[in-house]
Amino acid sequence: MAPKHALTTGLAILVLSCTTAALRMPDPVLAVGDEVQTREAIIKGMAIRGWVVEDEQPGRVLARFERRRHTAKVWIDYTGRQIKFYYAGSENLQCMPEGDSCSSIHRVYNTWTKNLAIDIAKQIDQQRLQLPPPRQE
């Protein structure tokens, strides 16, 4: 019986190691130059894949995404110049705690947050296209 138990434990460790990765937050995104427009781009970008606002403070949005029994949370800090992403929590995503964050997490968390940053960046680009050209003096 002992060899069978060792095999089962070994397989469980292998499966867990295949589904987890180091926590990687997306790189900052350059903003539009106006906090109101930046916030609007963040909210629109979040909505594309079903992220919702869980909490909001001036210059900061707590975004939440749920899929089946899994939950991902991200703090999105913004100014008129840039948008930064920070781990805010997760449920059922195999977070290995390290301080206020995780040393590793299910790799899908990294994918979800990367896609969130891409969607927000696309909204920022859309807003840039709508800005009036600079005045010539």
Side-chain angles (χ1 to χ4, degrees):
M1 259 339 225
K4 188 175 183 180
H5 179 69
L7 180 62
T8 304
T9 302
L11 286 174
I13 290 170
L14 180 63
V15 168
L16 283 176
S17 66
C18 291
T19 60
T20 60
L23 176 66
R24 301 269 187 248
M25 295 310 299
D27 291 332
V29 172
L30 292 178
V32 180
D34 174 282
E35 279 194 32
V36 173
Q37 290 178 316
T38 299
R39 180 195 172 278
E40 182 180 305
I42 290 168
I43 301 302
K44 285 181 179 179
M46 287 171 51
I48 291 170
R49 295 180 201 254
W51 288 82
V52 296
V53 174
E54 182 169 299
D55 189 19
E56 189 166 3
Q57 303 163 11
R60 192 169 218 215
V61 174
L62 178 58
R64 185 183 80 246
F65 180 74
E66 294 181 0
R67 173 141 322 144
R68 292 181 284 282
R69 298 180 345 250
H70 308 289
T71 302
K73 295 182 183 183
V74 180
W75 278 112
I76 305 171
D77 290 359
Y78 64 93
T79 64
R81 294 185 184 167
Q82 74 175 357
I83 303 165
K84 291 184 177 181
F85 304 88
Y86 301 96
Y87 176 82
S90 62
E91 294 174 21
N92 299 318
L93 289 174
Q94 303 168 349
C95 170
M96 296 300 284
E98 184 176 276
D100 292 338
S101 190
C102 302
S103 60
S104 65
I105 195 162
H106 194 291
R107 65 178 181 251
V108 75
Y109 181 93
N110 293 336
T111 301
W112 290 344
T113 56
K114 180 183 79 173
N115 288 338
L116 172 63
I118 289 168
D119 293 340
I120 291 171
K122 286 178 182 177
Q123 292 302 310
I124 292 289
D125 289 344
Q126 287 293 320
Q127 287 189 342
R128 280 196 187 99
L129 293 174
Q130 296 171 5
L131 289 175
R135 292 190 322 186
Q136 299 291 323
E137 291 187 39

